[in-house]
Amino acid sequence: MAARTLRLIRKYTAGNSSILMPHQPSRPRCASSSCSKPTGKRITDRLSSVIDAVNDRKLPPELRGQRNIVRSETDITNVVEHRIWRSMEEGQFENLAGKGKPLNLDRNPHADPADDTLYRILSKNGCAPEWVELNKEIRANVAKWRSALKKAWNMKCDEDDHEWLESSEVLKVQLRDINDKVFRYNLIVPFGRQMFGLKWEKELDRLNE
């Protein structure tokens, strides 16, 4: 009896598979292109538009929306100069605060507050920052070294090669000492005040000019 019942169930469910497998609603197909994922080109175009808008905001109002005609910084400089001349003609530079009075140089508004305070303390006590003193020392050493090099070079021109060889070895050692000071100076000096070291070959070229 059980076997017959099982055969009837199999026969009935063979033509009605939905009984065993629940119905899965089909996902609607989107015929429009708006349902598709944005392509890489579309994303790039959007980013380019945002970047162009940001860069456009950096321009003076007179040049906004005209980025294609801005060829160089000269175009922007011309706009700034035009503004200055127009302000001068309108008298906007007259009756400024502090006109006719000496400038207050006790503070540097562009320097780091901590450095500015330190420099003012050193100045009041007749001292200078370390990099200032080192700069003076390097320049004095370079002038003295070049004078000695010129004197030794004249000996070579007089065909005194032995004296030139001895002097050149001493001068090369002094050159390395100067460059060591230049390296130390560049580490402690404010940005933008660095100096170049000396090169033996270039110094000899200076004498040959």
Side-chain angles (χ1 to χ4, degrees):
M1 183 68 181
R4 182 181 178 186
T5 304
L6 182 60
R7 285 196 300 270
L8 290 173
I9 292 174
R10 288 178 178 176
K11 181 179 179 181
Y12 178 77
T13 56
N16 298 274
S17 59
S18 59
I19 295 178
L20 297 179
M21 298 295 293
H23 179 67
Q24 297 288 339
S26 60
R27 304 177 70 179
R29 295 184 179 180
C30 185
S32 62
S33 59
S34 60
C35 296
S36 60
K37 296 182 179 180
T39 61
K41 185 177 184 304
R42 291 175 60 188
I43 295 176
T44 303
D45 292 341
R46 291 180 183 177
L47 290 176
S48 299
S49 300
V50 173
I51 293 173
D52 290 342
V54 172
N55 291 332
D56 193 66
R57 292 291 299 175
K58 295 180 181 179
L59 296 175
E62 294 89 336
L63 297 177
R64 289 177 184 173
Q66 307 177 42
R67 294 186 63 251
N68 293 333
I69 66 173
V70 179
R71 301 295 181 181
S72 64
E73 293 183 0
T74 304
D75 298 326
I76 301 178
T77 303
N78 292 338
V79 173
V80 174
E81 290 179 351
H82 178 70
R83 285 187 183 182
I84 294 174
W85 281 107
R86 186 176 60 189
S87 299
M88 292 174 63
E89 293 174 353
E90 295 175 354
Q92 296 184 18
F93 290 100
E94 299 295 333
N95 302 321
L96 295 176
K99 180 180 180 180
K101 298 180 182 180
L103 295 175
N104 183 9
L105 302 179
D106 294 336
R107 294 182 178 274
N108 183 1
H110 305 290
D112 182 84
D115 292 340
D116 187 46
T117 302
L118 176 62
Y119 293 156
R120 284 191 289 108
I121 294 174
L122 291 173
S123 178
K124 289 180 179 179
N125 290 274
C127 302
E130 181 184 2
W131 62 269
V132 174
E133 298 294 341
L134 188 56
N135 182 289
K136 294 179 180 179
E137 181 181 351
I138 292 173
R139 293 185 182 278
N141 290 345
V142 169
K144 183 179 179 180
W145 182 84
R146 283 177 172 168
S147 178
L149 176 62
K150 185 176 182 181
K151 182 179 179 181
W153 184 258
N154 291 334
M155 293 180 182
K156 181 181 180 182
C157 295
D158 294 338
E159 298 182 356
D160 190 350
D161 293 338
H162 178 72
E163 188 69 23
W164 161 252
L165 291 175
E166 291 184 355
S167 299
S168 62
E169 292 300 324
V170 175
L171 289 168
K172 288 179 180 179
V173 173
Q174 296 174 352
L175 177 68
R176 287 194 292 270
D177 292 340
I178 292 175
N179 285 337
D180 289 342
K181 291 181 179 180
V182 171
F183 178 78
R184 180 166 169 265
Y185 168 82
N186 289 336
L187 292 177
I188 62 177
V189 71
F191 179 76
R193 297 177 179 268
Q194 285 74 15
M195 62 170 58
F196 293 102
L198 300 180
K199 292 186 177 181
W200 179 258
E201 293 78 10
K202 287 188 176 181
E203 294 299 321
L204 294 182
D205 293 338
R206 284 166 51 93
L207 296 175
N208 290 324
E209 293 179 353

